[in-house]
Amino acid sequence: MKRKKADIASFFRASGKKTAKAKNEDEMEKKQAESEDEEPPESSNLNGPPDVSERLIESRTEESSLRSGPSGSPDSHREDSDSEREEPPTTSGGPSGPPDISKSRTDSPIQPRLKLYPRTLQGDRRRHFQASWYSIHTWLEYSLSQDSAYCYACRHFGLPHTESVFTSALGFKNWKKATFRDGGFCGHAKGEGHTNAMIAWKEYERADKADALLMSTLSKEHHKQIEENRAYIKSLAEVLLLTATQNISQRGHKETVDADNRGNFLAILDMIAKHDPVVKKKMTGPRNAKYTSHQIQNEILDTLAEMVRASIINEVKESEVFSLMADETKDLKKKEQISLVLRYYYAGAVKESFLHFESADRLDAAGLTHKIIQVLERCGLEYKSNLIGQSYDGASVMSGKHSGVQARIKEVAKQAFYVHCNAHCLNLVLVDTVKAVPQAECFFALLQRLYVFVSGSYIHNKWLNIQKEMYPGAPRELQRLSETRWACRHIACHTVLDRLPAIMRLLVEVASENSGDRSIDARGLLAQFDLQFIGLLVICNKVFGDARCLSDMLQSPSLDLCSAVDLVQALVQNVQAYRDESYFEGLWREILNTAEKCDVEVEPTSKRKTKQSRWLDGHAVMSSTGERSEQSMDTFRTSIFYPVLDNMLNSA
């Protein structure tokens, strides 16, 4: 019977007729050839049913979300299609394959889309890979060098040592059976190992996306915190800059929360916090994140000072040549501080910029020279070739010709020409003038004593009330006399001369109170306000006024040496003109008018002449010790006015 059936089949083949099974196989091969010649659009599914793994993932993702990785046995791929068994797979412990596909799970699947893929003769036709398979099987990878397909999920997320043609080095390239329902891509997708690998891949993508979202959120919060910190530190710096430029103190005696006055710095910050939520958040935050301690304040001030210093140094370097001015003074702790100022030409104008001040450990010429050179070297200034001038006061340690600071610096900076400070010279002239005339020295001592007397709380309030009654506008304060800037004593003389009637009234009222020491001091000061005092007040107001104008001009940054000489000569000419008798007559009339306004006696009262015994003739002094001589126009001019002018001219 079997032989009979075989003969029938051979008969049909010989006669050109085909059985039903043979017809079905021919129809399938024909459809395969048509699908290879014309690639269907990605939305169509002409090559078979959708990927089975995609449908299994949705149902098993929640179940396997807590797993650390995919599970499966090495035998999970035994149900692969016959096409996969045609090429023996290789076993490896990690991702294998050609170099032009993904290397790790951080890479995306390599899916090149070409207009024309390489064709291979398989069966009776030349077949090739199709790009439409990517949309059906998202796990597919294609290697151009090997002309093979690989499984991205199994290569990177499958169990190690798993046997499959899609993870082997050669890959899958049997395009004839690629779209079979039970073989090729669909057969591989049905395997348990591939399904677990797909689940692990999707879990990895979800976790990676969650990490990315978390990192993005953390990054945004971190960036927001950075911006808030920068805005807060900027507010702190602006407040410190405000207090520094306004020359007001930053800190208070007690900066606790319950203190009445916490200082200017914290008070201004509290005011800003009412209108700025960022500052308010930081001020009410942790104590170690407020950045308001005195150490932080000093660090911010040092940073701001360094920024200003760097700007000055850049300007000096651009101008190349510069000159140096230095002086030392004592701070409140009686510690010597040396200050350095640079003078240079920049942007079409002469500038004088304060560079640095530092405590001076040694006050001798060698120590001061070393300190100055050290600061210049620290700032990176070429003082040896670019320093062309130096100016100090007249102290021997600074201006000494052989071993002073100016001589020592000139040894290393050959072009550093020394100029004695003209403003300091003028100050020395006024000092010598006052010391040479005893009446003038006593006059300024009396002005200082008057300032101390009026500074008392009771007297000061009375002084302000009297001014409000006698003069319109705001009351004036008496000026303290400076020991170094004698030209500024013009302000004290001008204020006393302008408010002399009010001062006289104040002294009279206090003297009549009989209140102990205050009354005694008022009577003593009132007794000194005579015609000589008013004359010295008018003269010093005039002479020191001219000297103050010259002092202000000599301290101008735009002043040069030639202009300074011309200004000094102009003052000398004015002083010489004051010796004219006609000028003094006008000045004497002003003195008399001021005395009359203050009810000061112009003509001295005549005293009864004491009769001297003829036995003591030539052997006794008839005047008391310290008695003032009677003042008149001629005696005042010869004994006070001319000596003051002559001493100024001689010192100049």
Side-chain angles (χ1 to χ4, degrees):
M1 186 59 120
K2 293 180 180 180
R3 184 175 180 182
K4 186 176 181 180
K5 290 182 179 180
D7 293 339
I8 294 172
S10 59
F11 171 77
F12 279 110
R13 284 196 296 270
S15 60
K17 297 180 180 180
K18 297 183 178 180
T19 61
K21 183 178 181 180
K23 289 181 179 180
N24 291 336
E25 290 180 356
D26 291 342
E27 290 178 359
M28 290 180 64
E29 290 182 0
K30 184 176 181 181
K31 291 180 179 180
Q32 173 70 17
E34 292 177 354
S35 63
E36 290 175 355
D37 293 338
E38 294 184 7
E39 294 186 1
E42 294 184 359
S43 59
S44 62
N45 189 8
L46 302 179
N47 295 325
D51 196 345
V52 179
S53 62
E54 298 291 341
R55 290 178 292 183
L56 294 176
I57 288 172
E58 298 179 358
S59 61
R60 298 181 60 178
T61 298
E62 296 296 333
E63 179 182 353
S64 61
S65 60
L66 300 178
R67 299 178 185 176
S68 59
S71 61
S73 62
D75 299 331
S76 59
H77 289 273
R78 291 182 179 178
E79 297 179 2
D80 290 345
S81 62
D82 296 338
S83 62
E84 291 179 276
R85 290 194 294 269
E86 290 178 1
E87 298 179 3
T90 59
T91 304
S92 62
S96 60
D100 57 346
I101 58 176
S102 60
K103 300 298 186 297
S104 64
R105 61 178 59 184
T106 57
D107 300 334
S108 300
I110 304 301
Q111 298 177 341
R113 297 180 180 273
L114 307 179
K115 292 183 178 180
L116 185 63
Y117 288 89
R119 293 178 177 270
T120 305
L121 181 61
Q122 294 180 0
D124 57 346
R125 298 179 183 276
R126 301 180 64 85
R127 308 175 190 274
H128 63 86
F129 184 84
Q130 298 183 30
S132 60
W133 294 340
Y134 293 144
S135 59
I136 302 173
H137 308 287
T138 58
W139 46 266
L140 267 181
E141 285 189 304
Y142 178 76
S143 172
L144 295 175
S145 60
Q146 295 291 334
D147 187 26
S148 301
Y150 298 87
C151 178
Y152 174 84
C154 293
R155 290 180 63 247
H156 299 297
F157 297 93
L159 291 176
H161 308 291
T162 301
E163 297 180 357
S164 174
V165 68
F166 286 91
T167 59
S168 63
L170 297 178
F172 176 85
K173 58 176 63 179
N174 191 352
W175 313 130
K176 179 180 178 180
K177 298 182 179 181
T179 57
F180 279 12
R181 186 178 297 275
D182 295 329
F185 301 147
C186 294
H188 176 72
K190 293 178 182 179
E192 184 180 359
H194 175 80
T195 304
N196 292 333
M198 289 293 295
I199 294 174
W201 181 21
K202 298 304 178 182
E203 286 291 333
Y204 174 80
E205 287 183 343
R206 188 172 64 178
D208 186 60
K209 183 178 180 180
D211 291 342
L213 293 175
L214 179 62
M215 291 302 296
S216 177
T217 304
L218 293 176
S219 178
K220 290 180 180 179
E221 291 296 327
H222 181 65
H223 182 72
K224 179 181 178 182
Q225 185 177 6
I226 290 176
E227 294 298 328
E228 290 181 354
N229 291 339
R230 288 178 177 176
Y232 179 63
I233 294 297
K234 183 180 179 181
S235 300
L236 296 182
E238 289 178 348
V239 174
L240 289 173
L241 186 61
L242 173 65
T243 56
T245 53
Q246 295 299 321
N247 197 21
I248 59 178
S249 60
Q250 281 91 13
R251 297 186 287 273
H253 296 288
K254 189 177 181 181
E255 297 184 348
T256 58
V257 179
D258 56 346
D260 295 334
N261 188 0
R262 303 177 63 195
N264 296 320
F265 175 70
L266 293 179
I268 296 175
L269 276 182
D270 291 338
M271 178 61 66
I272 296 176
K274 295 179 180 180
H275 307 279
D276 192 337
V278 175
V279 177
K280 182 178 181 180
K281 176 182 177 182
K282 295 295 183 180
M283 292 292 291
T284 57
R287 185 175 181 182
N288 60 346
K290 293 181 180 180
Y291 301 100
T292 56
S293 64
H294 62 277
Q295 294 93 343
I296 300 297
Q297 295 180 33
N298 292 335
E299 290 180 5
I300 295 176
L301 287 174
D302 291 339
T303 303
L304 295 175
E306 189 61 33
M307 294 170 61
V308 176
R309 189 179 298 111
S311 176
I312 294 173
I313 293 173
N314 291 333
E315 291 181 359
V316 174
K317 289 182 178 179
E318 291 182 11
S319 63
E320 295 184 358
V321 296
F322 64 95
S323 59
L324 171 70
M325 292 182 288
D327 194 11
E328 66 270 6
T329 184
K330 291 182 180 180
D331 57 9
L332 295 178
K333 295 183 178 180
K334 305 300 181 182
K335 191 173 184 180
E336 288 288 344
Q337 302 279 347
I338 183 171
S339 304
L340 298 179
V341 177
L342 299 182
R343 181 183 173 92
Y344 53 94
Y345 183 82
Y346 181 78
V350 177
K351 287 190 175 183
E352 288 183 0
S353 300
F354 174 76
L355 180 65
H356 184 71
F357 76 94
E358 191 172 343
S359 59
D361 300 330
R362 297 169 53 189
L363 299 179
D364 56 340
L368 294 176
T369 303
H370 175 72
K371 181 66 68 175
I372 293 174
I373 293 178
Q374 185 181 15
V375 173
L376 295 177
E377 291 178 348
R378 190 189 310 160
C379 296
L381 298 175
E382 290 291 338
Y383 63 93
K384 293 183 179 180
S385 58
N386 295 337
L387 181 60
I388 60 174
Q390 48 180 332
S391 178
Y392 317 113
D393 56 19
S396 59
V397 68
M398 303 297 294
S399 60
K401 183 177 180 181
H402 300 288
S403 60
V405 173
Q406 65 93 10
R408 294 173 180 268
I409 290 183
K410 200 169 184 179
E411 292 179 357
V412 293
K414 304 299 181 181
Q415 302 177 4
F417 179 72
Y418 169 67
V419 178
H420 188 186
C421 178
N422 286 279
H424 186 264
C425 290
L426 177 62
N427 186 77
L428 294 178
V429 168
L430 299 178
V431 172
D432 294 341
T433 301
V434 171
K435 289 183 177 180
V437 181
Q439 294 89 341
E441 188 174 7
C442 294
F443 166 75
F444 283 106
L446 182 59
L447 287 184
Q448 180 64 21
R449 188 68 188 87
L450 179 63
Y451 165 79
V452 175
F453 177 77
V454 178
S455 298
S457 58
Y458 173 78
I459 305 297
H460 184 260
N461 292 331
K462 197 174 187 65
W463 162 245
L464 296 179
N465 294 331
I466 290 175
Q467 289 188 87
K468 291 178 182 178
E469 294 179 6
M470 298 180 62
Y471 302 99
R476 294 187 185 179
E477 298 287 352
L478 298 183
Q479 299 295 322
R480 182 180 181 181
L481 303 185
S482 175
E483 295 295 334
T484 56
R485 298 184 179 274
W486 282 70
C488 296
R489 297 195 174 199
H490 168 259
I491 302 176
C493 295
H494 180 72
T495 303
V496 173
L497 181 61
D498 192 41
R499 293 290 191 265
L500 188 56
I503 295 175
M504 298 290 291
R505 176 182 170 182
L506 173 67
L507 295 176
V508 171
E509 292 181 1
V510 175
S512 61
E513 290 179 356
N514 296 325
S515 56
D517 294 340
R518 283 200 301 265
S519 299
I520 298 301
D521 293 340
R523 293 171 188 174
L525 292 173
L526 191 60
Q528 302 295 323
F529 284 13
D530 54 5
L531 188 62
Q532 177 179 318
F533 172 81
I534 296 176
L536 284 168
L537 186 62
V538 174
I539 291 174
C540 292
N541 181 61
K542 179 62 177 176
V543 175
F544 277 79
D546 296 342
R548 184 192 174 190
C549 293
L550 177 60
S551 178
D552 294 339
M553 293 179 182
L554 291 177
Q555 298 179 51
S556 175
S558 60
L559 183 69
D560 55 14
L561 186 59
C562 296
S563 300
V565 174
D566 295 338
L567 291 174
V568 172
Q569 291 178 355
L571 178 62
V572 171
Q573 293 175 1
N574 288 340
V575 174
Q576 290 176 348
Y578 293 161
R579 289 186 59 87
D580 186 63
E581 293 185 1
S582 61
Y583 176 80
F584 180 76
E585 290 177 358
L587 191 64
W588 183 253
R589 285 193 295 269
E590 182 180 352
I591 294 173
L592 295 179
N593 292 333
T594 305
E596 291 177 358
K597 291 180 181 178
C598 300
D599 295 332
V600 176
E601 294 183 358
V602 177
E603 296 292 337
T605 57
S606 60
K607 297 181 180 179
R608 183 177 64 86
K609 189 175 183 180
T610 306
K611 186 177 180 181
Q612 182 179 0
S613 174
R614 63 185 180 86
W615 298 101
L616 299 177
D617 188 15
H619 300 283
V621 178
M622 301 307 296
S623 61
S624 60
T625 304
E627 181 182 4
R628 291 188 179 186
S629 60
E630 296 181 358
Q631 293 293 336
S632 63
M633 177 178 176
D634 294 335
T635 56
F636 187 85
R637 178 176 55 190
T638 57
S639 62
I640 297 177
F641 184 63
Y642 284 165
V644 171
L645 299 181
D646 293 340
N647 280 282
M648 289 187 66
L649 294 174
N650 293 333
S651 301

